[in-house]
Amino acid sequence: RRSGRRGASHCEGAVASEGAVEPPSGRSRYLAAAGARPEIVGDMPTMRRLFYEQARDGAPPMSTSSSSFSSSRASSEALGAVPPRPPGGVEGRVTLRVAQWNINCLCGIDCRSAQAASDILEVLGPLEADVLLIQEAPQGPPNEWWPEPWKSAFPTQAMRDLESGLKDLGYNVQLRTHCANSTLLCSKLPLEAATPSASLDDDHSFRGSMKEERAALLAHLRLPAGANSADSPLVACYATHLHHDNMVPGWGGVREAEVTALLRHWQAHASPKARCGILATDFNQSRRGDYSAKDWSLIAEALGKPWVRQPEDDGVADLLRGAGWRCAFDAPAAARNWPSRPPSTGAPPVSHWTGTVVDYPYVVDHQGFVEVLGVYLVYSPLSDHLPIVTDLSISI
């Protein structure tokens, strides 16, 4: 599913198209173009325009020469389509659908175009997710500390309309992290307990140089099983969002410190009744293993530009892997609505306006309770990120 063209962004028409570049299935339009035109590497207006076009147009048709889907289950899914929510599952298991989306403060791909709540709901509603994890969903209204252009563009009433519209869809649990650019967790599942929102930036040396902090909130939600609420197993979901500025060009930066704090938080607060933990968010970092050497060289060149200056590897993926968290994109048997491409097990072609993937769903499950059924990309030109859907089967 993807939304229509309504209210998307000034990117349409504001930058004249220089000829459509149709990437091979499984590759972003920007990386396909940058490989042929080195002068556009790291050029932000061009990156945003190509992302807008790809988000608007959706998945390209799959040619006979395209890479095959990575599993027999995936081959049954139409390229770019999101299948209906899986049924309840076999006896002893339940299915869970989680959707994540950084909505860029409802300010569109260009950060200046206010989006209507109805358009966002048009994307989220049909997904029928049990849990929504929505980054950059501040409560508003803007104050003097907000940066431009979001300060001028943020539609406060649209955020209220989004909250009420989500309640109409059955998301009666709505929890926000306390930081200014907050994450909103919405659930159709009943809430067992939630931790207070905690800063991820209190205990590292970079805090004094940061204009904004990031936070985390852990919600324990009751899965639909058991005779009463006391018998229900739980799923533990984080609402969080890692910082866009790592401060250093490698490991030992802000994001590694934030995930270190989050892992301590998990150890202290995860319930023994939780069948698994879910961390699905904007990590603000791509993984080298998801790209060919040629594409990664283009990404690395852009990351090194003076106006970017971000690391090729911030250490977060290795830190999570070492703590037992696994990325759902790496599940070899999971269905997906894009073709796999070597060397990746199956990361999507794009999730962010930079033409890369920075949004990932992670699961921790030390006892084998969880199977990743599918991961799906949703095309929509309403934000500078794309929604991602993850389907899980959980043993109860």
Side-chain angles (χ1 to χ4, degrees):
R1 301 177 177 92
R2 65 176 185 265
S3 75
R5 296 163 60 98
R6 290 185 293 157
S9 170
H10 290 311
C11 288
E12 181 176 26
V15 181
S17 177
E18 298 174 21
V21 177
E22 192 63 67
S25 298
R27 196 179 187 208
S28 80
R29 192 169 291 190
Y30 160 70
L31 289 176
R37 297 170 54 206
E39 70 274 11
I40 70 169
V41 171
D43 181 72
M44 292 192 288
T46 301
M47 296 164 93
R48 287 188 186 273
R49 175 178 59 80
L50 292 172
F51 175 80
Y52 169 74
E53 292 173 359
Q54 189 165 11
R56 177 198 64 196
D57 297 343
M62 183 154 69
S63 69
T64 55
S65 61
S66 296
S67 301
S68 61
F69 283 103
S70 60
S71 73
S72 58
R73 184 186 300 150
S75 65
S76 66
E77 308 298 351
L79 191 65
V82 179
R85 186 192 180 282
V90 299
E91 185 176 355
R93 302 189 73 87
V94 297
T95 57
L96 181 75
R97 171 166 282 191
V98 178
Q100 63 186 93
W101 194 8
N102 181 324
I103 60 171
N104 194 25
C105 305
L106 293 176
C107 292
I109 291 175
D110 62 359
C111 311
R112 302 173 185 274
S113 304
Q115 304 298 301
S118 58
D119 289 341
I120 301 293
L121 293 167
E122 185 180 305
V123 176
L124 292 176
L127 299 178
E128 299 181 315
D130 301 292
V131 180
L132 301 175
L133 300 168
I134 306 175
Q135 296 84 54
E136 299 197 11
Q139 191 166 26
N143 58 38
E144 65 273 16
W145 300 108
W146 279 38
E148 294 290 0
W150 297 271
K151 180 179 177 181
S152 297
F154 179 72
T156 301
Q157 184 56 51
M159 186 61 73
R160 301 288 81 75
D161 294 342
L162 178 60
E163 295 160 355
S164 62
L166 289 170
K167 284 190 176 181
D168 291 342
L169 291 174
Y171 296 100
N172 292 314
V173 175
Q174 297 189 9
L175 304 170
R176 261 194 179 88
T177 54
H178 73 274
C179 53
N181 197 359
S182 53
T183 297
L184 177 64
L185 182 153
C186 301
S187 174
K188 293 180 179 178
L189 302 177
L191 178 67
E192 173 87 359
T195 65
S197 175
S199 175
L200 296 178
D201 294 308
D202 279 349
D203 298 326
H204 60 72
S205 60
F206 304 101
R207 183 66 184 97
S209 304
M210 297 168 61
K211 295 181 179 179
E212 60 177 272
E213 67 173 336
R214 296 296 162 93
L217 179 154
L218 182 63
H220 285 89
L221 306 168
R222 293 200 295 267
L223 291 168
N228 55 59
S229 61
D231 298 326
S232 295
L234 306 177
V235 60
C237 297
Y238 267 111
T240 193
H241 176 198
L242 300 192
H243 209 279
H244 62 275
D245 190 350
N246 196 53
M247 296 285 183
V248 300
W251 290 32
V254 170
R255 291 193 289 270
E256 184 179 342
E258 289 174 340
V259 170
T260 298
L262 186 141
L263 292 174
R264 286 199 305 265
H265 188 273
W266 173 255
Q267 290 297 322
H269 297 288
S271 169
K273 291 173 60 180
R275 289 297 193 262
C276 67
I278 296 173
L279 174 62
T281 191
D282 171 10
F283 284 83
N284 271 305
Q285 177 74 56
S286 300
R287 304 185 307 174
R288 183 171 191 160
D290 290 332
Y291 299 90
S292 67
K294 178 180 178 180
D295 280 354
W296 188 256
S297 70
L298 299 171
I299 294 169
E301 182 181 349
L303 289 170
K305 297 290 186 182
W307 54 89
V308 180
R309 291 184 298 181
Q310 291 300 305
E312 294 182 37
D313 182 4
D314 58 13
V316 166
D318 283 350
L319 192 60
L320 287 171
R321 188 183 306 112
W325 291 78
R326 56 192 172 105
C327 182
F329 294 154
D330 299 336
R336 42 184 58 85
N337 60 352
W338 62 86
S340 64
R341 63 196 190 284
S344 171
T345 300
V350 64
S351 78
H352 185 237
W353 68 266
T354 55
T356 64
V357 178
V358 300
D359 304 271
Y360 294 90
Y362 276 83
V363 178
V364 66
D365 162 34
H366 295 299
Q367 301 185 57
F369 287 126
V370 179
E371 177 190 0
V372 180
L373 298 177
V375 281
Y376 308 103
L377 188 67
V378 183
Y379 287 92
S380 168
L382 301 179
S383 174
D384 58 359
H385 292 247
L386 298 180
I388 293 168
V389 173
T390 305
D391 287 339
L392 304 173
S393 174
I394 304 173
S395 171
I396 54 174

